[in-house]
Amino acid sequence: MVTLGVDLASKPKRTASCLIRWNSTSALVEKLSMGVTDSDLHELFGRADKIGIHAPFGWPARFSRAIADYSASTVWPAVGVSQLRFRRTDEVVKEKLDRWPLSVSTDLIAVPAFRAVRLLAERAATGEAIDRSGGGRFVEAYPAVALIVWGFLSRGYNGTRGAAVRDQLVTEFAKQTTAWLTMSQQNWSRCRASDDVLDALVAALVARTAAIGCCEPIPPTDRELATEEGWIALPQSETLDKLL
C-alpha cells in the first residue's frame, strides 16, 4: 500500500506532501516535498492508494443552504451562529477531544478548502468516485487532532514561534515510531523546520489509519451529512503502533 499525506495551503509555496510505502515490516517515507503544485498533486494522487488531505472537504449544510436561500430570495434561517460555523464532524471532534476544529465557513481555512474541493472536482471529472466522508481514496485529515489521540502535544508547534515545541514533538514522534517508520535524518530535520512538512507526514499516517479501518466510525445518523459536509478521519486511540 502507498499512502499520501497533503498539508494543503491556498498556494503551492506552503503546501507539503508525504508519500509512504507500506509493507508487512516497515513504512518507508519515499518522498517528502514542499512547494507542491496542483500538477504535482495530481501526479502524486496517481501513485497513492489512500490520500489524507489536511483541508475541509465541504461546508456546514446549514451554512450552504442559508447562503443559497439568501442569494435567491433574501431569506435567512432562524439558526444559531454555531450551526452556521461548524459541521457535524467538527461537533464530534469537540465532543470527543474538547477541541474545536477551525470553522470552514468563518476562518481562513476556507481558502485552502476552495483548493481542496477544486482538486476533488478535477478528480471527479476524470471519472473517479469522490466520497467526502472518506469512503473512497480521499480522506479528510486533521493532524492536530490525530496527534491528540496518539498522545502527543498538539498545540503551539506551528510557525517560527513554535520551533522549540515542534522540535520536542518531532523528537518524541520519531522515538515512538522508530521501530517501523523509515525516514532519513534529513527529512526528520525538515519536519523540525516546518510544521507544514510535519503535518503532511501525520496526514499520510492518518490515511493509513483510515485505509485499515482504525478510525472512529461515522455514526449511522451522521452518514448522510458526512457525504455532504465532509468528515474528519479521527484515529482510534492507541493505533499509531498498529499501522503495519
Side-chain angles (χ1 to χ4, degrees), residues 7 9-16 33-37 115 194 196:
D7 186 55
S10 59
K11 297 180 179 179
K13 182 179 180 181
R14 289 289 305 275
T15 298
S33 304
M34 272 291 290
V36 186
T37 66
R115 188 179 177 198
S194 169
D196 302 315

Side-chain angles (χ1 to χ4, degrees), residues 192-241:
R192 287 184 168 86
S194 169
D195 57 279
D196 302 315
V197 173
L198 175 59
D199 281 348
L201 168 64
V202 176
L205 299 179
V206 171
R208 171 68 174 185
T209 310
I212 63 175
C214 288
C215 285
E216 295 289 346
I218 302 172
T221 53
D222 294 328
R223 186 161 295 281
E224 185 175 352
L225 264 182
T227 61
E228 178 181 351
E229 298 182 334
W231 194 266
I232 294 168
L234 187 63
Q236 294 170 342
S237 61
E238 300 181 359
T239 52
L240 183 61
D241 295 327

